[in-house]
């Protein structure tokens, strides 16, 4: 399909019909996951893989990734690739510490958002106004942000009691919430070790006990982003800038303005993810605290096909692996080899029988068999591999998910006002 605008003709990709997952499939899929985890727990004897402690830690570790991924979604839905999420998170960690030390925990949250948004504004200025390559701008922002945060930490935290050039003093805590009266009954059911029922109790306990209020806010931001971008005229204008900015301009959309809003909001969300690391996952700012989570958040966004629900799923997977390697170590990750092997076998059969992708299906099946054999002949996973398990999971998931991805059509393209006239 083509769209004639002035003297130019823009080719607009034909809309592809995608099969949406029905609402009832989500709880069914979650139940199936709990069944599989229960089977693996009973086979391997590793209770940590489905304990409420692990699931609660997974939720906490998933939130910074989800916020970074959500920031990437805002930017790329408006057509601006955001490799700079890591740098925006780094700025957010410093902003959270500075704000919390001088005005309390909520000032720390505001400081994280403001500092991340400033990083987003710089990225928007470079890419939207000056037409700098999006990848170059993002990488440069990551490098500069690391240096700026290091300098500011040494400047403002080095002379404080309990602080140093690379670490802030302990930060005030944010409020924690939960559903009263349910933790102990759910804990007793979890301790019984019943098939599926104990896993369900553990999941409910993790979701209703001792949650940081910032976790609740992050979940609300995911829902709010879905509503704002897919259910309002404002969101339609933002997404039109990422699909066809020339066509959007002819309809009266100020493309520059909406790109600036989206990329600045992207920085604010990523900065909030950095603030989560400093104030919730830890209790202080530390140099290089993000540990590459901005890139994992970007991977979660790609895995989630540029949608909030997919971002949450991808972040949950990576957060779970992060929590599992921290709590259970090599033995717990070794038990997950059985799960990964079974998953690869299912994916391979699905590719062959439903998609008729025989080569990809055969590779998945062979890989799955190899993983199951590795689980059978080994007892644990070396510590060197354990530390990089979340990153390895990122690569594997992207390798198998890449065939069904569809990014915004104009993502990464330089746009100039008046191109359609």
């Amino acid at each position: 399909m083509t769209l004639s605008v002035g003297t130019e003709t823009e080719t607009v990709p034909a809309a592809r019909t995608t099969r949406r997952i029905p609402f009832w499939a989500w709880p069914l899929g979650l139940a199936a996951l709990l069944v599989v985890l229960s089977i693996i727990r009973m086979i391997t004897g590793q209770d940590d893989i489905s304990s409420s402690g692990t699931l609660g830690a997974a939720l906490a570790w998933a939130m910074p990734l989800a916020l970074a991924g959500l920031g990437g979604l805002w930017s790329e839905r408006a057509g601006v690739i955001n490799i700079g999420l890591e740098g925006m998170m780094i700025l957010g960690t410093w902003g959270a510490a500075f704000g919390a030390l001088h005005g309390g925990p909520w000032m720390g949250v505001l400081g994280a958002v403001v500092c991340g948004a400033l990083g987003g504004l710089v990225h928007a200025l470079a890419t939207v106004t000056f037409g700098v390559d999006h990848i170059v701008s993002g990488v440069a922002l990551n490098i500069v942000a690391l240096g700026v945060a290091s300098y500011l930490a040494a400047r403002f935290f080095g002379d404080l009691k309990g602080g140093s050039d690379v670490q802030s003093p302990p930060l005030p805590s944010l409020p924690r919430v939960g559903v009263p009266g349910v933790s102990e009954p759910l804990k007793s059911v979890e301790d019984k070790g019943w098939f599926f029922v104990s896993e369900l109790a553990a999941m409910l306990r993790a979701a209703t006990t001792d949650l940081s209020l910032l976790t609740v806010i992050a979940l609300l931001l995911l829902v709010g982003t879905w509503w704002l971008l897919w259910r309002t005229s404002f969101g339609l204008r933002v997404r039109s800038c990422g699909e066809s900015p020339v066509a959007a301009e002819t309809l009266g959309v100020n493309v520059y303005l909406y790109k600036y809003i989206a990329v600045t909001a992207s920085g604010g969300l990523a900065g909030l993810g950095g603030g989560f690391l400093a104030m919730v996952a830890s209790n202080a700012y530390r140099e290089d605290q993000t540990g590459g989570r901005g890139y994992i958040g970007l991977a979660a966004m790609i895995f989630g096909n540029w949608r909030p629900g997919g971002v949450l799923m991808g972040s949950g997977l990576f957060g779970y692996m992060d929590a599992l390697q921290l709590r259970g170590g090599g033995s717990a990750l070794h038990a997950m080899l059985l799960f990964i092997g079974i998953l690869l076998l299912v994916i391979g059969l699905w590719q062959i029988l439903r998609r008729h992708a025989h080569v990809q299906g055969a590779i998945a099946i062979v890989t799955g068999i190899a993983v199951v054999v590795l689980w059978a002949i080994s007892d644990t996973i070396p510590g060197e591999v354990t530390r990089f398990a979340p990153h390895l999971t990122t690569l594997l998931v992207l390798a198998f998910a890449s065939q069904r991805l569809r990014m915004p059509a104009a993502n990464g393209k330089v746009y100039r006002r008046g191109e359609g006239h």
Side-chain angles (χ1 to χ4, degrees), residues 192 196 220 281 292 339 376:
K192 298 293 184 182
F196 179 74
L220 292 176
F339 171 77

Side-chain angles (χ1 to χ4, degrees), residues 47 77 169 288 342 357 367:
D47 293 337
R77 278 292 177 179
D288 199 23
I342 294 173
T367 306

Side-chain angles (χ1 to χ4, degrees), residues 17-69:
T17 58
T18 58
R19 299 176 61 184
R20 292 186 177 274
I21 300 176
F23 178 78
W24 55 264
W26 292 99
L28 185 62
L30 182 59
L33 178 61
L34 292 179
V35 168
V36 173
L37 285 177
S38 184
I39 293 172
I40 294 174
R41 172 180 61 83
M42 299 181 75
I43 292 175
T44 63
Q46 290 291 331
D47 293 337
D48 267 337
I49 65 173
S50 59
S51 68
S52 58
T54 298
L55 296 178
L59 181 62
W61 282 112
M63 287 303 100
L65 307 179
L67 288 168

Side-chain angles (χ1 to χ4, degrees), residues 176-201:
R176 305 189 76 87
V177 297
V179 179
V182 301
S183 178
E184 290 304 320
L186 289 173
K187 176 62 174 174
S188 63
V189 175
E190 178 188 351
D191 291 341
K192 298 293 184 182
W194 292 333
F195 177 78
F196 179 74
V197 177
S198 291
E199 272 69 28
L200 181 60

Side-chain angles (χ1 to χ4, degrees), residues 99-153:
L101 289 172
H102 290 83
W106 291 112
M107 188 60 68
V109 172
L110 179 62
V113 173
V114 170
C115 287
L118 287 175
L121 187 61
V122 170
H123 187 51
L125 183 67
T127 56
V128 178
T129 300
F130 293 107
V132 176
D133 182 270
H134 298 190
I135 305 298
V136 172
S137 174
V139 171
L141 179 62
N142 291 337
I143 297 172
V144 171
L146 182 60
V148 168
S150 297
Y151 169 77
L152 292 176

